[in-house]
Amino acid sequence: MSMIAVLVVAASPAAPQSFGDFAAGVLGEMTRSRPAARRAPAVVRSDTMWLVIASRENAQEAVALGESYAATLGPTLVIQSRNGRYAVAAGTLGREKAKANIEALKALHLVPQDSFLSEGRNLDRVVWHSLDDPSALDLMGRSAYRQSVRRLQASFSRLGFYDGPVDGLIGPTTSEAFDRFARRFGPPAGEAIDGAALAAIEGTAADGFRDDAERSLARARGFQDAASFAEAESGGFPSALAFSEARSRGFRTMGDFDEARAGGFRDGDEYVRARAGGFASAAALEAATRIGVDTASDYRAFQASGFTEADDWKAARRKGFTDRAAFETAEAERLKAAQREARTLIGDADAFLRLNPRTPGLLAVAAEVATVTGAMNAGSADTLSAATLRLRAALAPSGGFAAFEEARRTERVAEEVRRVAALRAELEARQAALSGWIAANLTSPKLPDLVAELTLLEGDLKGGDGDVLAAARERIASLVARLGLDAELALLAAKDAPVPAAPSAGGGLGAAVAVTPANAGLLQGPGEDVVVLANGGPHAPSLTRNLLGAFVFATGKASICTLGVPREPALRRALSEELAGFGARQVDLGDCTAAEAASRDLLLLRRSAFLVSPPTLAAPVLEAMEAGTLQVFEPMAYAALASREAAETALVAAITADLATGSREGYGALIPEEGGGAVCAAVASEREAHREVLDRLARFVAGETGALPPVRFLDADAAFQAARQHDCRALYASAEDLKSLTAAMGRDGLPASIAPLWLDRAALDGAVAALAAERQATTKAAESRRLQAESERAEAERTARNAAGSREAQETALRKRYGTEAAALLNTYSEALKALVLGHPPVILAGRDGAGPAMGELFPEFARWQGTLAPDDWKPIAVDVAIADYGVARWHDRTMEAIALETRVQIVSRERGEYREACFLQAMIVDGEFQMHRDPVEAPCGPEGAKRIADWSLGHELESRWVAAR
């Protein structure tokens, strides 16, 4: 006889009065069989409840499970229930705090989450226990349990999650500490914490690692604690050695450490200082430090400045100069000005002293003149200015020198004014003469030199400095002589005035205006050329330049007008393709009128049309070109547009001709003149093979509408009917169907044009073959997975077959015995569910007053689902209701019938061409005495739904008369 059998026989008193008495008697017999020193068991008090950890089908499993909790909870009991299953009880809890205690135990994972409290009414007899002392029935008083809680509290305290006493008492503080631990390190594996899990938690508290895998990984890399490992991981360090070396040198990330080593930096401080200054290497930092600069930009500025000494560079920078050449030029100008002032002062002093030889302090003045003369050759503006200032101070005591100097200054100013005026007049005459020559010789190779010189002259004339103007006169004279233009300029000067161009026969302004550099691109050239002008003014609706200077359409829409350019659909599409690179997703085309020209992004002007355009259009355009707000749009030449148009026109012509002769195979598209909505595709099969060309067609259509249309798959006749209703923006079909559609559209007066795209037969066959290969590969992989799953399932079925045989026999017996009662309930609810789903007159369930609730009131979620079918184009066609479980349940200390149903609904959608099946689980308690339906529950089929029904059954202590216990 097995140990379990021995225990069962030994623990069977003759006539227990209650479960508490029964348990006390069993424990008494066990205690008497042990040494006499142990105390007799105490009777379990009626103010306690049993904590049931789990239930098992056989005693061996229950005993093994009970023994597994010895390390954390202490002794356990295995008690056979009246339904034949074996309950594993952890002990008893005081009724007053039982609910709070079990919730705390679950929160700490010391017991499984499905543990429950029991009064013990359904428990029959103790078959096994590990109690040494009857007092150990009180779980809260056990030393093993208290020690487990203390170990958890100590671990959580060490991790900083718990700041309460380590006393083995559970409460909200301990539960919250466990939650923080679980969020940080993850919950322990398994239904409840066992000895290994408790030890793992203590290990985590000791070194901070989440689990053994992380601990092993860290120690393999040389780390002994989680804090260092985590810090190293976040810094990207591969080992403790690298981490320790980097930290000792002041680095926190491996990237910084590697970068610092590559740059030759000795420590973190030097690297941080270098990085703050923008230095990439220690050598550059050291070189910069030697010259006294802190940033790489300053060091680069010094290197680029041309200075060889840092002090000279710093002195220049303090004066606002960044390079040596500019500084030296400015210094030369300062020296030149100082020399001019010195020479002027010496000249004034010389003239004054000759007129006043008895001037006091003559020797001192002579000495200062000698000093100034010497300083003029020293090359220092500051030294010369200081010497000049001292000379002026030496002359100051003479009362008449100040008046004499002022008179001389006034004379020089007047002379300079006359000189500047003469130079300006001469240079302006030269400017006009050279501009006239340029206008008459636009193709001359001498033009670039003259244009560059006139650009410099324009700047010189704005300044007005006499020396600058004199230098400009010499420069221009040299250039004219070098280019040999003296004779031609003299001939132009002899002409009284230029002869204006005669106005065009059409009365337009464009052909009668003078050609300037700004408008030459529009006015000069073949008449058939089309010039593209870009609007750079404030009224451009979308065109602008980004930070890099590139043209972009800020709103995504390009507003364009044309003059003398036919606005064919091909032009719009060519513009869309050309301007897509500038961010334009839509093109708006219109006429170029006087009112529109300034408010368009681009102007497409045929030169011959512009030259005869009315002044109201031409004048604003030319004025805007002179102002620079309109200029030739260099990034896009009209020739590219014309080339695209020609290619598209040729393709459309070829497709049209081939369709007429039937020589073209494949798929193309037809664009109705009026239409909207979707791209209507007459594709019967292998639709995915057409996806790429359909996407191109959708983008092609979106270029005009600005919105990407959806694709609808129809047959050719349905597509034609949709086009007649203007519901198709494009028609996509095979060559044969396209020919028929073209004829039908023409017959019904629906203008349409062939789209410039085609999917030929070879490309289609290639796409179909690629899809087939992809599907074959997918099918092969799926079949491989299926065979593997079948093998695993067959093995599982063989393993479970023996156990299933006995359970099936039990279920057969149960269903034979209770089948009549269950079938009666099934028939009632089956008809009610079918009526609800199929729209038949509702079946009213019996109630106390002869009329109870309809099925939809009992199961509102099922009713709501049924209500969504019609709006989604689904229709129910069949309902199958089967018994999932049947038995008796408890409701408020009363026993009554309960039934669980599995309802499967077949639905169909003609729109989708598809069948589906929906499955639901429903259960309720049938109160025959009061003719009521108690606690109905419902859920979709599946693991979650099954768990919900199982929880409902457990809560109502369902004793199944249909399903054998598992």
Side-chain angles (χ1 to χ4, degrees):
M1 182 179 295
S2 68
M3 177 60 71
I4 296 297
V6 170
L7 291 176
V8 170
V9 170
S12 299
Q17 299 302 314
S18 67
F19 180 76
D21 296 336
F22 177 76
V26 170
L27 292 175
E29 291 185 14
M30 290 181 174
T31 303
R32 285 192 295 273
S33 65
R34 295 179 183 146
R38 296 179 181 173
R39 298 190 306 272
V43 176
V44 179
R45 293 178 297 171
S46 60
D47 58 349
T48 60
M49 299 185 73
W50 290 97
L51 172 56
V52 179
I53 299 173
S55 176
R56 292 293 183 265
E57 189 174 354
N58 59 65
Q60 290 88 344
E61 291 179 5
V63 170
L65 179 61
E67 289 176 331
S68 69
Y69 283 89
T72 54
L73 299 181
T76 55
L77 303 90
V78 175
I79 308 170
Q80 187 175 23
S81 303
R82 295 178 182 176
N83 60 7
R85 292 177 64 85
Y86 296 86
V88 180
T92 60
L93 296 173
R95 180 184 297 273
E96 183 179 352
K97 294 185 178 180
K99 185 174 182 181
N101 286 337
I102 192 174
E103 292 301 326
L105 289 167
K106 290 180 179 179
L108 292 178
H109 283 229
L110 287 171
V111 299
Q113 298 304 304
D114 57 355
S115 299
F116 61 93
L117 297 169
S118 174
E119 296 279 357
R121 296 190 185 95
N122 292 328
L123 302 177
D124 194 6
R125 57 199 180 98
V126 174
V127 298
W128 175 89
H129 74 89
S130 58
L131 297 169
D132 291 326
D133 191 314
S135 64
L137 277 175
D138 180 10
L139 177 60
M140 294 292 103
R142 290 181 190 164
S143 59
Y145 154 74
R146 295 286 290 273
Q147 180 61 20
S148 297
V149 176
R150 280 193 291 270
R151 290 171 69 183
L152 287 174
Q153 290 171 335
S155 297
F156 297 157
S157 178
R158 185 168 187 177
L159 289 168
F161 297 155
Y162 177 75
D163 57 2
V166 181
D167 54 6
L169 300 178
I170 55 177
T173 305
T174 308
S175 300
E176 290 168 3
F178 187 93
D179 287 341
R180 286 192 285 271
F181 175 88
R183 285 195 297 271
R184 171 76 179 278
F185 297 99
E191 290 186 324
I193 293 175
D194 56 16
L198 189 55
I201 291 173
E202 290 177 317
T204 297
D207 54 22
F209 293 107
R210 293 178 174 84
D211 50 38
D212 287 337
E214 186 183 49
R215 185 177 291 106
S216 298
L217 176 61
R219 290 178 178 169
R221 296 182 182 178
F223 296 94
Q224 298 303 315
D225 65 282
S228 298
F229 178 67
E231 188 174 352
E233 283 284 277
S234 66
F237 294 96
S239 67
L241 180 63
F243 176 66
S244 176
E245 182 182 359
R247 291 302 299 274
S248 68
R249 293 172 62 179
F251 296 95
R252 293 191 174 276
T253 69
M254 191 67 195
D256 287 350
F257 188 41
D258 288 339
E259 187 175 339
R261 287 189 295 185
F265 297 102
R266 292 182 293 271
D267 54 47
D269 291 339
E270 186 180 56
Y271 172 72
V272 170
R273 187 160 58 91
R275 189 163 60 176
F279 296 97
S281 69
L285 175 63
E286 184 178 358
T289 303
R290 280 199 302 270
I291 66 170
V293 298
D294 297 323
T295 67
S297 59
D298 284 349
Y299 184 63
R300 288 192 296 269
F302 168 73
Q303 290 179 310
S305 68
F307 288 95
T308 56
E309 297 296 328
D311 290 339
D312 294 341
W313 171 70
K314 292 177 182 178
R317 193 164 67 161
R318 283 194 295 271
K319 294 180 180 181
F321 297 94
T322 58
D323 66 277
R324 181 177 180 179
F327 177 71
E328 290 178 348
T329 299
E331 286 298 294
E333 289 296 323
R334 286 184 63 229
L335 179 60
K336 182 179 177 181
Q339 289 170 341
R340 185 166 54 246
E341 180 184 4
R343 282 193 297 267
T344 299
L345 183 59
I346 290 174
D348 290 346
D350 179 66
F352 178 77
L353 291 175
R354 282 199 305 269
L355 294 174
N356 301 281
R358 297 182 183 276
T359 299
L362 181 61
L363 293 178
V365 170
E368 292 300 334
V369 168
T371 302
V372 170
T373 303
M376 288 179 68
N377 299 319
S380 171
D382 293 333
T383 301
L384 180 56
S385 295
T388 302
L389 186 61
R390 288 193 299 272
L391 173 58
R392 190 178 298 281
L395 290 167
S398 175
F401 179 76
F404 179 81
E405 185 182 31
E406 178 61 23
R408 293 272 290 181
R409 189 191 66 77
T410 303
E411 184 181 358
R412 284 192 296 270
V413 168
E415 181 59 29
E416 182 65 14
V417 169
R418 286 192 296 272
R419 186 174 78 97
V420 169
L423 286 170
R424 183 180 295 278
E426 181 182 350
L427 289 172
E428 287 176 348
R430 277 290 194 179
Q431 184 183 41
L434 290 173
S435 297
W437 186 91
I438 289 173
N441 298 274
L442 288 173
T443 59
S444 172
K446 303 174 183 179
L447 200 63
D449 289 339
L450 285 174
V451 170
E453 182 54 43
L454 287 177
T455 302
L456 289 175
L457 177 58
E458 185 175 0
D460 293 342
L461 288 171
K462 291 178 180 178
D465 182 83
D467 291 344
V468 171
L469 295 178
R473 180 179 62 180
E474 296 301 321
R475 192 176 64 240
I476 290 176
S478 175
L479 177 65
V480 169
R482 181 168 59 83
L483 296 178
L485 297 178
D486 287 310
E488 294 178 66
L489 290 174
L491 181 62
L492 285 175
K495 296 180 180 180
D496 293 332
V499 180
S504 66
L509 179 65
V513 298
V515 177
T516 69
N519 63 29
L522 176 59
L523 297 182
Q524 290 187 327
E528 289 305 308
D529 283 357
V530 175
V531 181
V532 183
L533 299 181
N535 188 349
H539 300 295
S542 181
L543 187 64
T544 185
R545 287 182 185 268
N546 60 21
L547 287 174
L548 300 178
F551 284 104
V552 293
F553 289 91
T555 66
K557 181 178 180 180
S559 179
I560 303 171
C561 70
T562 65
L563 179 66
V565 181
R567 292 194 303 277
E568 302 291 344
L571 173 63
R572 183 189 300 275
R573 291 190 281 270
L575 283 167
S576 296
E577 294 178 5
E578 285 290 325
L579 297 179
F582 301 93
R585 300 184 299 275
Q586 186 179 356
V587 172
D588 175 27
L589 275 177
D591 286 325
C592 283
T593 64
E596 290 283 332
S599 60
R600 293 282 185 168
D601 293 312
L602 297 178
L603 286 69
L604 274 60
L605 307 175
R606 192 174 299 277
R607 185 175 288 114
S608 59
F610 180 78
L611 292 176
V612 297
S613 63
T616 54
L617 170 62
V621 170
L622 293 171
E623 289 172 0
M625 293 185 75
E626 292 297 330
T629 56
L630 273 182
Q631 54 187 310
V632 175
F633 190 53
E634 298 291 349
M636 186 186 76
Y638 182 76
L641 295 174
S643 176
R644 287 186 183 274
E645 284 189 78
E648 180 177 312
T649 302
L651 177 58
V652 170
I655 294 173
T656 303
D658 291 347
L659 288 177
T661 61
S663 60
R664 182 176 287 262
E665 291 186 349
Y667 282 74
L670 197 62
I671 309 297
E673 189 172 294
E674 294 185 17
V679 171
C680 298
V683 179
S685 61
E686 296 294 350
R687 295 175 177 175
E688 195 61 32
H690 297 264
R691 181 57 57 190
E692 181 179 353
V693 72
L694 285 172
D695 288 344
R696 285 172 50 206
L697 180 58
R699 291 193 299 272
F700 179 87
V701 169
E704 297 185 10
T705 63
L708 202 66
V711 177
R712 291 176 56 195
F713 289 99
L714 308 167
D715 57 36
D717 187 66
F720 172 64
Q721 296 303 325
R724 291 182 74 248
Q725 300 297 322
H726 304 303
D727 288 337
C728 293
R729 193 67 190 86
L731 295 166
Y732 178 80
S734 65
E736 181 180 356
D737 287 341
L738 205 60
K739 182 177 180 181
S740 301
L741 286 168
T742 303
M745 297 283 283
R747 179 198 66 213
D748 287 4
L750 301 172
S753 58
I754 294 294
L757 54 83
W758 191 264
L759 176 65
D760 59 36
R761 173 56 62 182
L764 177 59
D765 291 343
V768 171
L771 286 171
E774 182 180 350
R775 290 181 188 133
Q776 184 177 6
T778 302
T779 302
K780 184 176 180 181
E783 179 63 16
S784 175
R785 291 193 299 271
R786 186 189 66 79
L787 291 175
Q788 182 179 357
E790 285 289 344
S791 175
E792 293 174 354
R793 186 163 52 251
E795 181 64 27
E797 288 175 353
R798 282 192 296 271
T799 303
R801 192 171 291 126
N802 292 335
S806 61
R807 182 167 54 83
E808 290 173 0
Q810 294 175 21
E811 288 184 349
T812 300
L814 285 172
R815 293 174 187 183
K816 181 176 180 180
R817 180 178 178 183
Y818 300 105
T820 302
E821 296 91 333
L825 287 180
L826 172 64
N827 291 337
T828 299
Y829 300 120
S830 175
E831 291 303 315
L833 286 166
K834 290 178 180 179
L836 173 63
V837 175
L838 300 177
H840 297 165
V843 175
I844 305 301
L845 304 175
R848 285 182 299 179
D849 301 325
M855 212 59 172
E857 296 175 41
L858 284 177
F859 304 115
E861 293 180 16
F862 181 80
R864 280 193 293 272
W865 168 84
Q866 189 272 338
T868 64
L869 295 178
D872 286 346
D873 295 322
W874 289 99
K875 180 180 179 181
I877 56 176
V879 181
D880 181 36
V881 184
I883 298 174
D885 204 350
Y886 168 80
V888 293
R890 300 286 295 176
W891 190 81
H892 289 189
D893 295 329
R894 295 173 54 228
T895 301
M896 54 192 73
E897 283 184 297
I899 191 168
L901 305 172
E902 183 183 273
T903 303
R904 295 183 178 272
V905 183
Q906 298 289 330
I907 57 177
V908 64
S909 173
R910 293 185 178 180
E911 178 71 21
R912 299 174 178 80
E914 183 181 354
Y915 291 92
R916 288 185 185 174
E917 181 182 81
C919 180
F920 301 86
L921 295 173
Q922 298 136 331
M924 73 191 91
I925 294 175
V926 182
D927 189 344
E929 180 180 354
F930 294 95
Q931 295 186 344
M932 293 291 291
H933 302 85
R934 309 289 188 186
D935 293 347
V937 64
E938 56 182 326
C941 295
E944 291 295 327
K947 184 178 183 303
R948 189 172 178 183
I949 297 298
D951 291 342
W952 179 89
S953 301
L954 182 63
H956 288 290
E957 301 180 19
L958 177 66
E959 182 181 336
S960 178
R961 295 177 175 176
W962 199 258
V963 178
R966 291 176 172 82

